[in-house]
């Protein structure tokens, strides 16, 4: 009988956070959307959380099973056998680290989101194509269902507002401005001083 895998909840929590980050920056959101629709169609609403938990657990079990034989092979040791796991490790993408947002950066609110089939890469392309802003000038992009936030320098935020305000994308007129949350945070700082 197979021994039950003990779960390290701290490691599991970090893995979940890494997966969430990967979802936010995924290069093929249309594929994820298709899979999401299949899950919605075939998994009852009340079981979707368990479905996700089950998939994560099985993924971790498979990774654990692969690692254990590889360690034994290394100890017994033919160099040819060692090369296969190394090739798999190189093929796996590294999780992206969140870039620190410099002081003085501003966050834009944009009225476009996932429900309008707008994703992070679409927003980056939109901002870069008309404004002269480069991909590296954008510190962070967060896309929600109906709206998005983009963090950049104040100068680049002003350029984006000037070029994009009122433009029509996928049938929606863009509303873009400095995030209200940002304005509230600034007023709190003034009150504290």
């Amino acid at each position: 009988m197979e021994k039950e895998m003990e779960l390290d909840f701290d490691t599991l929590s970090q893995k979940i956070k890494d997966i969430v980050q990967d979802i936010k920056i995924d290069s093929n959101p249309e594929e994820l959307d298709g899979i999401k629709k299949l899950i919605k169609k075939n998994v009852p609403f009340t079981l979707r959380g368990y479905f996700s938990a089950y998939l994560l657990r099985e993924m971790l079990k498979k990774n654990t099973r692969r690692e254990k034989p590889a360690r034994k092979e290394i100890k017994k040791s033919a160099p040819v056998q060692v090369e296969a796991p190394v090739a798999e490790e190189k093929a796996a993408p590294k999780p992206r680290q969140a870039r620190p947002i410099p002081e003085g950066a501003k966050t834009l609110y944009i009225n476009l989101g996932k429900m309008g089939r707008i994703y992070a890469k679409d927003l980056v392309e939109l901002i870069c194509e008309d404004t002269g802003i480069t991909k590296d000038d954008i510190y962070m992009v967060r896309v929600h269902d109906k709206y998005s936030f983009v963090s950049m320098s104040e100068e680049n935020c002003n350029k984006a507002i000037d070029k994009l305000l009122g433009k029509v994308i996928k049938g929606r007129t863009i509303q873009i401005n400095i995030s209200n949350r940002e304005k509230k945070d600034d007023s709190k700082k003034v009150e504290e001083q």
Side-chain angles (χ1 to χ4, degrees):
M1 186 174 198
E2 187 178 321
K3 184 180 176 183
E4 280 295 314
M5 179 179 76
E6 290 184 31
L7 295 176
D8 175 11
F9 287 102
D10 292 334
T11 305
L12 190 58
S13 177
Q14 186 57 46
K15 182 68 177 170
I16 291 169
K17 289 175 184 175
D18 292 344
I19 291 171
V20 169
Q21 280 296 350
D22 289 345
I23 290 170
K24 290 179 180 178
I25 58 175
D26 190 79
S27 62
N28 195 353
E30 293 82 16
E31 183 180 58
L32 286 178
D33 201 33
I35 294 168
K36 180 181 156 189
K37 287 178 183 175
L38 280 173
I39 292 170
K40 190 174 182 180
K41 183 177 179 181
N42 294 299
V43 179
F45 179 76
T46 56
L47 294 178
R48 289 185 192 150
Y50 288 105
F51 181 79
S52 299
Y54 178 83
L55 287 178
L56 184 59
R57 185 185 69 190
E58 294 302 308
M59 179 185 76
L60 291 172
K61 279 183 184 178
K62 286 183 181 180
N63 287 342
T64 306
R65 287 180 196 150
R66 282 187 199 152
E67 289 172 10
K68 287 180 183 176
R71 289 178 187 155
K72 290 176 185 175
E73 290 170 9
I74 291 171
K75 289 177 186 175
K76 293 178 183 175
S77 205
V80 177
Q81 293 174 340
V82 174
E83 291 175 13
V86 172
E88 286 178 24
E89 288 176 16
K90 287 182 182 177
K94 293 180 181 177
R96 293 188 186 176
Q97 297 293 327
R99 287 176 48 189
I101 297 177
E103 188 153 332
K106 297 291 181 183
T107 302
L108 291 175
Y109 163 85
I110 304 172
N111 69 328
L112 302 172
K114 292 177 189 172
M115 289 179 74
R117 299 211 180 271
I118 299 290
Y119 301 97
K121 68 177 184 173
D122 300 323
L123 286 174
V124 170
E125 288 173 8
L126 178 68
I127 290 169
C128 292
E129 99 185 3
D130 286 341
T131 61
I133 297 169
T134 66
K135 197 175 184 180
D136 294 329
D137 294 330
I138 300 172
Y139 305 133
M140 183 178 56
V141 178
R142 290 177 302 192
V143 181
H144 298 274
D145 287 340
K146 295 183 180 182
Y147 54 89
S148 302
F149 294 106
V150 178
S151 296
M152 299 184 286
S153 69
E154 187 171 2
E155 177 187 344
N156 287 335
C157 284
N158 290 332
K159 281 184 194 177
I161 290 170
D162 291 342
K163 295 287 184 175
L164 300 176
L165 185 64
K167 190 172 182 176
V168 178
I169 301 294
K170 294 188 179 183
R172 294 211 52 194
T173 303
I174 296 178
Q175 293 297 319
I176 180 173
N177 55 25
I178 302 293
S179 169
N180 286 337
R181 172 184 266 176
E182 188 93 10
K183 291 176 186 173
K184 288 177 186 173
D185 290 344
D186 289 343
S187 65
K188 286 180 185 176
K189 289 177 187 174
V190 171
E191 289 172 9
E192 290 171 3
Q193 295 174 352

